[in-house]
Amino acid sequence: MRPMSACAETRRLVRTAALIRRYDSNVPRYTSYPTAARFTPDVGPEDGGRWLEAVAADEAVSLYVHVPFCRTLCWYCACNTRAVNRTETIRTYVDLLLTEAGLVADRLGRRQRVARLHLGGGTPNMLSPDDLDRLFSGLRDVFDFAPDIEIAAELDPASLSHAWVKRAAHHGLNRASLGVQDLSPQVQKAINRIEPFSTVAQAADWLSQAGVKSLNLDLMYGLPLQTRDDLLATLDQVTTLRPGRIALFGYAHVPWMKPHQKLINEADLPGPEDRFAQSQAASAFLLDQGYAAVGLDHFALPTDSLAIASRTGRLHRNFQGYTTDVAETLIGLGASSISRTREGYVQNHTVERDWRAAVGQGRLPVARGLGLTTDDRRRADIIERLMCDFRVDLQDIDRKHGPAPDRFSAAFARLQPLVDDGLARRDGDVVGVTDAGRPFVRLVCAAFDTTLSTSPSRHGRLI
């Protein structure tokens, strides 16, 4: 293939800039459909309890445990977390996590088999090694851990200790995700997250020594003061560790939802065209390093299970992002955690004291949720396949859920401008995303979203 001429490259850049200006908008990340923005307090503890009772006895479920604590608060963070320095606060939180697990097990009516356990946050390594002992012992008392269970944790390298890693590995930790974001000193200062590469490398080495072979690194683009060269320099360093997976997320600046983001100077944030250039340069770098692109924002070595799932059409998406998890039931424990069953979604109280009060009173701490209709499930499958495969055959969806009453006529009308601009394609019942349209895939998904709110208070920017 001949290299692109200077004139052709200029035309491509001008067209890309025009598309960014036209389509950069507030769009969901589609880690679920309907999104959590549609949850209402009309769904409560009794609904969640009934839905747990309907889980099949032979079904292997997944567990998500939310730890809403950090040593310090990073200004970019949009997670439900807070800075704490009192061990008693964490100790009593673990006590209540186990109480909630018992309430869930009571409604299940059995020691349900668990195939996956994910510790998220916040910073799960805020738990002491003794807290880990109590947590795992208590969970194993009420759930039946599968012999080949995958146990994963999101970790902060700056606050991680060798003792914590060894204790977690003793309890079965076999996959870890290290939050890196960016290694540039000026960027780290701008987001209040200071950790040199040596800290990340030490954490990766501890995990490897303990037998935790599956390593994921989380990076971000679009951060304050971040440049394309900063991001590439970060990638140049972290890829020497050869992590199996790298997640590259776009920073979502939503200070109206996360007030601590107001500590970030908006004048320091790169604009949409710079953000796009950062993401595309990072993608090209990772592909050149032998990583395979997985979905919108993940990269994996070809031998990693995520890359294999992507190649074979078995990739899925849930609240933790792209996954190989096939469980239909995801049970969330802890403040703000979300559970998914066949019947619908429920979310725990996001305010920690409300969650503590509900669990302390012996109630499932459900604050809101949403029951799923047949049409919700139909559109959820369409959106998941588009997000994972960049293609969906609507006849496959018909065979699973029955045809949509309007045969997606409204969706096709919303899709047409994207087809006209070369970002999507449609061949009868097959809808696909073009190579040029991959960064815009969430817009293609949005064409099938009948619940989409255009309020900027609900979603981050597309680019």
Side-chain angles (χ1 to χ4, degrees):
M1 180 182 297
R2 291 185 301 175
M4 185 178 295
S5 69
C7 289
E9 174 65 6
T10 299
R11 288 195 297 271
R12 186 189 69 80
L13 293 174
V14 169
R15 181 174 183 276
T16 298
L19 290 172
I20 292 171
R21 287 192 297 271
R22 185 177 309 158
Y23 289 117
D24 189 29
S25 56
N26 298 85
V27 188
R29 292 184 183 272
Y30 290 116
T31 53
S32 72
Y33 181 84
T35 68
R38 307 305 301 179
F39 296 177
T40 78
D42 293 339
V43 170
E46 283 309 307
D47 300 290
R50 284 199 313 274
W51 296 348
L52 287 172
E53 290 168 357
V55 174
D58 60 350
E59 181 183 347
V61 304
S62 294
L63 286 182
Y64 172 78
V65 178
H66 189 76
V67 180
F69 308 122
C70 292
R71 186 178 65 178
T72 58
L73 193 60
C74 301
W75 297 342
Y76 69 87
C77 184
C79 299
N80 184 64
T81 188
R82 64 188 179 97
V84 299
N85 55 20
R86 295 182 66 246
T87 57
E88 178 68 9
T89 299
I90 300 174
R91 186 188 65 78
T92 57
Y93 185 83
V94 173
D95 291 340
L96 289 169
L97 277 174
L98 297 177
T99 300
E100 183 185 4
L103 295 172
V104 167
D106 287 345
R107 297 306 290 261
L108 289 167
R110 68 190 73 87
R111 282 169 47 86
Q112 196 79 31
R113 184 160 58 95
V114 176
R116 297 195 182 212
L117 168 60
H118 188 101
L119 304 180
T123 305
N125 52 289
M126 285 292 290
L127 303 183
S128 70
D130 288 344
D131 288 330
L132 276 181
D133 289 343
R134 291 193 302 117
L135 177 63
F136 276 95
S137 176
L139 290 177
R140 289 179 183 274
D141 281 345
V142 295
F143 293 107
D144 179 19
F145 281 24
D148 59 347
I149 185 172
E150 178 180 291
I151 299 178
E154 302 167 11
L155 305 175
D156 173 20
S159 59
L160 188 64
S161 71
H162 196 191
W164 195 97
V165 170
K166 289 191 290 186
R167 192 69 61 88
H170 169 75
H171 288 294
L173 181 72
N174 48 31
R175 180 177 293 282
S177 179
L178 297 178
V180 178
Q181 317 321 334
D182 189 280
L183 294 173
S184 308
Q186 72 273 15
V187 176
Q188 292 190 349
K189 184 178 180 181
I191 62 176
N192 195 40
R193 186 185 179 91
I194 309 300
E195 60 179 26
F197 174 64
S198 58
T199 299
V200 178
Q202 178 68 86
D205 187 51
W206 285 338
L207 289 162
S208 179
Q209 289 178 27
V212 183
K213 302 301 184 184
S214 298
L215 179 65
N216 175 81
L217 299 184
D218 289 339
L219 305 177
M220 276 190 165
Y221 66 89
L223 291 168
L225 300 180
Q226 188 181 38
T227 67
R228 172 183 173 277
D229 288 344
D230 290 328
L231 182 55
L232 292 178
T234 294
L235 286 168
D236 194 42
Q237 293 182 82
V238 300
T239 51
T240 63
L241 303 175
R242 296 308 281 175
R245 303 176 185 178
I246 292 178
L248 180 66
F249 301 115
Y251 167 60
H253 191 61
V254 287
W256 50 89
M257 292 178 63
K258 297 295 178 180
H260 59 265
Q261 289 188 352
K262 294 176 183 177
L263 295 168
I264 288 177
N265 184 357
E266 292 191 359
D268 292 337
L269 293 171
E273 290 181 41
D274 286 337
R275 285 170 60 98
F276 186 82
Q278 288 177 15
S279 69
Q280 296 306 290
S283 176
F285 179 93
L286 289 168
L287 294 177
D288 188 58
Q289 291 293 310
Y291 285 83
V294 176
L296 175 63
D297 48 23
H298 281 52
F299 300 84
L301 293 175
T303 54
D304 186 273
S305 60
L306 200 69
I308 295 170
S310 179
R311 290 197 301 271
T312 57
R314 294 182 291 109
L315 188 65
H316 293 280
R317 191 159 172 82
N318 63 19
F319 292 104
Q320 282 74 60
Y322 288 105
T323 180
T324 58
D325 189 358
V326 298
E328 191 166 14
T329 300
L330 170 66
I331 297 172
L333 303 174
S336 81
S337 66
I338 298 175
S339 298
R340 181 195 68 228
T341 66
R342 291 181 183 87
E343 287 73 20
Y345 298 106
V346 295
Q347 183 173 23
N348 285 351
H349 289 285
T350 57
V351 177
E352 186 188 325
R353 67 173 178 273
D354 294 338
W355 173 83
R356 285 177 179 263
V359 175
Q361 294 165 12
R363 294 184 287 110
L364 290 175
V366 174
R368 62 187 190 133
L370 186 71
L372 294 174
T373 66
T374 298
D375 192 57
D376 289 334
R377 295 184 181 93
R378 178 187 294 118
R379 292 175 187 272
D381 279 357
I382 292 170
I383 289 171
E384 183 178 49
R385 297 298 11 113
L386 286 169
M387 289 294 295
C388 293
D389 304 334
F390 299 101
R391 179 187 183 277
V392 64
D393 187 336
L394 298 178
Q395 290 189 18
D396 292 340
I397 303 299
D398 286 351
R399 284 189 282 271
K400 182 175 179 181
H401 300 285
D406 68 348
R407 288 300 296 142
F408 302 112
S409 57
F412 292 153
R414 290 190 290 267
L415 188 67
Q416 191 58 48
L418 300 175
V419 173
D420 294 341
D421 280 330
L423 303 178
R425 64 170 66 92
R426 181 185 164 211
D427 181 10
D429 282 332
V430 177
V431 175
V433 182
T434 65
D435 288 343
R438 287 194 172 208
F440 301 85
V441 61
R442 289 155 58 198
L443 280 179
V444 181
C445 296
F448 292 90
D449 185 347
T450 62
T451 70
L452 182 60
S453 167
T454 58
S455 169
S457 66
R458 308 308 300 177
H459 309 294
R461 303 296 291 182
L462 173 71
I463 300 301

